[in-house]
Amino acid sequence: MRAVVQRVATSSVSVDGAVTGSIGKGLMVLIGVEKEDTIRDAEYIANKVSALRVFDDENGVMNLSVQDVKGDILAISQFTLLGDVRKGNRPSYFQAAGPEEANDLYRKTVELIEAKGIHVEEGVFQAEMMVELTNDGPVTILLESHKLF
C-alpha cells in the first residue's frame, strides 16, 4: 500500500461539482492499494499517518502528530499511485488491486484512523474527483507499507 501525505492548511475534494469532503488544518492522504496488500498494510498506513510528527511544536520543530494538534484527515483513494513508468511513458497499473479489494482495504484504513479518534473526511471511491489543497510548508511524505523507499 502506498500513501502520499501532505500537511495542509485546508483541503477539499469534489465530485461533479459537489464537495464530498473538506478539512482545515490536518493531513490530506492519497491512498493506493496493491494486489498483494492485506490488513497488515492497512494497519501500517493507518498507524503511520496517525502518528507522523509533521506539525510544529512550540519551538518550531516538527514534533507533533495530527492527533496532537487535533487536526483532521482528508482521505482519497487513488490507484494511480501504483502507476509504473519504468518501461515507457504510459503508466502500467498491473500492481494495483482490483476495485473490490482496493475499496475494502481503503475502507479498513479509514476505519483504523477513525478508531484513533481522528476525524476523517473522504472522496468517493472510483469517482473522478477534483482535489484542492493548500500545502502547509510544503510538507509531503511518501509512505510504502512494503518499505521500498
Side-chain angles (χ1 to χ4, degrees), residues 11-113:
S11 186
S12 66
V13 59
S14 302
V15 176
D16 294 328
V19 174
T20 64
S22 179
I23 65 168
K25 181 178 187 173
L27 301 173
M28 194 275 301
V29 184
L30 304 173
I31 301 170
V33 180
E34 295 181 80
K35 285 181 182 177
E36 305 300 319
D37 286 341
T38 66
I39 187 66
R40 285 196 159 148
D41 298 286
E43 290 168 345
Y44 176 86
I45 295 297
N47 289 334
K48 280 293 188 182
V49 166
S50 301
L52 278 176
R53 297 181 347 184
V54 295
F55 293 91
D56 291 349
D57 64 14
E58 64 278 356
N59 298 314
V61 177
M62 286 197 292
N63 201 28
L64 302 174
S65 72
V66 68
Q67 289 177 293
D68 296 329
V69 300
K70 299 184 180 1
D72 297 323
I73 290 178
L74 177 61
I76 300 170
S77 176
Q78 187 176 356
F79 81 96
T80 60
L81 291 180
L82 288 301
D84 184 348
V85 292
R86 290 177 291 178
K87 295 180 183 177
N89 294 318
R90 184 172 54 175
S92 167
Y93 300 105
F94 179 75
Q95 285 304 110
E100 187 174 319
E101 178 187 357
N103 191 34
D104 288 347
L105 284 174
Y106 164 78
R107 295 270 8 108
K108 187 62 178 174
T109 305
V110 170
E111 290 168 10
L112 289 165
I113 294 169

